[in-house]
Amino acid sequence: QVQLQESGPGLMKPSGTLSLTCTVSGASISSNYWWSWVRQPPGKGLEWIGEIYHSGTANYNPSLQSRVTMLIDNSKNQFSLRLTSVTAADTAVYYCAKHIEVLGKRGFDYWGQGTLVTVSS
Amino acid sequence: EIVLTQSPGSLSLSPGERATLSCRASQSVTGNYVAWFQQKPGQAPRLLFYGASSRATGIPDRFSGSGSGTDFTLTISRLEPEDFAVYYCQQYATSPARYIFGQGTKLEIK
């Protein structure tokens, strides 16, 4: 059974750098999957942040691209998210997710439980 | 950039009824790369369909996904109590890769 678990600080101060890690079990992060981060502000909808492949190739949401970096650690079966210059608008539940892809059709088939990150002074 | 508009914003139905949820894209979606997710309070989203109509593992056949071009539909043939949740559609685009979610439809018990 594939499982993903987010970890990181729950509370941050404005202008700081958010760092989250997603630990994967039940699947090798070196397999032919993409891995994504998605966030959801309290009471609002879902926003895709970015995706990364085991090679380290990453794609980011254009609206966040200037502040986002994703990295992958194949030896630890983990991937991570770094978001700089955070503000209250970055307060959200952050999810990591695994992709499924069949004949070009994609979806996020496994998700972590999510971790709430609050940005407040 | 494509905008996904889901309608209605909320839907109030009774168990046993049929639910029809719409997702309209502002421009044609290449390859019908649309996914649907179900999200219950306090839980992560759950994948229902990808590629508009490919059912994800473990999804009951009372759920169906359809559509092409700009109009996509999620249908629940006979609502069960556990189906009341928020449903999101998502479009996947390539070059560059990006994923856009609709704003969601809240399905409530009447």
Side-chain angles (χ1 to χ4, degrees):
Chain A
Q1 176 73 350
V2 178
Q3 293 184 315
L4 294 86
Q5 178 68 57
E6 305 89 352
S7 58
L11 181 62
M12 295 191 57
K13 293 192 182 301
S15 78
T17 296
L18 166 67
S19 293
L20 295 175
T21 297
C22 182
T23 301
V24 178
S25 59
S28 171
I29 207 162
S30 300
S31 300
N32 292 334
Y33 303 121
W34 287 84
W35 307 86
S36 272
W37 288 97
V38 176
R39 69 181 183 178
Q40 184 172 37
K44 296 188 178 180
L46 300 164
E47 179 182 34
W48 175 71
I49 300 170
E51 65 177 0
I52 191 165
Y53 198 57
H54 63 79
S55 62
T57 299
N59 298 301
Y60 304 130
N61 186 324
S63 68
L64 298 168
Q65 184 157 5
S66 64
R67 298 194 291 132
V68 172
T69 303
M70 293 177 63
L71 297 174
I72 197 160
D73 187 333
N74 292 290
S75 66
K76 294 183 178 179
N77 226 38
Q78 295 176 333
F79 63 104
S80 62
L81 169 69
R82 185 169 176 267
L83 182 67
T84 61
S85 304
V86 297
T87 69
D90 295 309
T91 294
V93 175
Y94 285 75
Y95 295 100
C96 56
K98 170 190 164 293
H99 292 215
I100 181 174
E101 181 168 355
V102 178
L103 300 177
K105 297 177 288 187
R106 289 192 178 187
F108 300 168
D109 61 342
Y110 288 95
W111 295 66
Q113 65 186 26
T115 187
L116 175 62
V117 177
T118 302
V119 180
S120 174
S121 56
Chain B
E1 180 173 283
I2 290 180
V3 174
L4 297 181
T5 301
Q6 292 187 239
S7 61
S10 63
L11 186 57
S12 184
L13 294 170
S14 299
E17 291 192 292
R18 180 185 186 90
T20 302
L21 285 64
S22 173
C23 177
R24 177 162 291 177
S26 58
Q27 54 187 280
S28 185
V29 178
T30 302
N32 295 330
Y33 292 154
V34 168
W36 287 93
F37 297 87
Q38 176 195 67
Q39 187 178 34
K40 297 179 180 179
Q43 295 185 16
R46 175 193 184 194
L47 178 66
L48 301 175
F49 292 93
Y50 56 101
S53 58
S54 295
R55 187 178 286 107
T57 302
I59 303 305
D61 59 8
R62 65 179 181 275
F63 289 88
S64 62
S66 63
S68 64
T70 59
D71 291 301
F72 299 86
T73 301
L74 175 69
T75 303
I76 311 171
S77 58
R78 287 179 58 85
L79 286 165
E80 297 286 344
E82 62 267 27
D83 299 336
F84 293 91
V86 179
Y87 291 84
Y88 293 95
C89 61
Q90 178 207 56
Q91 174 250 345
Y92 160 57
T94 59
S95 304
R98 59 195 180 278
Y99 302 81
I100 298 167
F101 289 92
Q103 84 279 16
T105 290
K106 186 175 184 179
L107 180 55
E108 301 173 304
I109 298 179
K110 189 172 183 179

